Amino acid sequence: MRLRPGTFMIEPKIRPDHPRPPIIHIGGCTATERSTDECTTRQAELSLTQQAVGAQPCAACRPDKALGIDVA
Ligand SMILES: [Zn+2]
């Protein structure tokens, strides 16, 4: 896995009503299951901190740690 620190990716929900949340990755992460969109640091941070979005950090690349966010 070749991460590109400073860039992030968002793996959107399959469908708006799908129970699985969006997943945030660090750019270059290969632990994605669906197609991803590149996003900015700010978008990654907001996705992980806004409950309305409810995104989860990827367990492999840990974008929450890269951003200094403590997501339990
Ligand atoms: Zn990842």
Side-chain angles (χ1 to χ4, degrees), residues 15-41:
R15 296 187 310 272
D17 61 344
H18 195 273
R20 197 162 168 215
I23 312 285
I24 305 299
H25 296 270
I26 293 175
C29 179
T30 53
T32 58
E33 293 174 16
R34 304 186 294 270
S35 60
T36 54
D37 295 321
E38 287 219 10
C39 71
T40 64
T41 303

Side-chain angles (χ1 to χ4, degrees), residues 1 13 16 21 24 33 35-37 41 43 59 62 64-67:
M1 174 159 62
K13 294 182 100 168
I24 305 299
E33 293 174 16
S35 60
T36 54
D37 295 321
T41 303
Q43 283 173 315
R62 298 308 302 263
D64 51 332
K65 294 206 165 162
L67 289 164

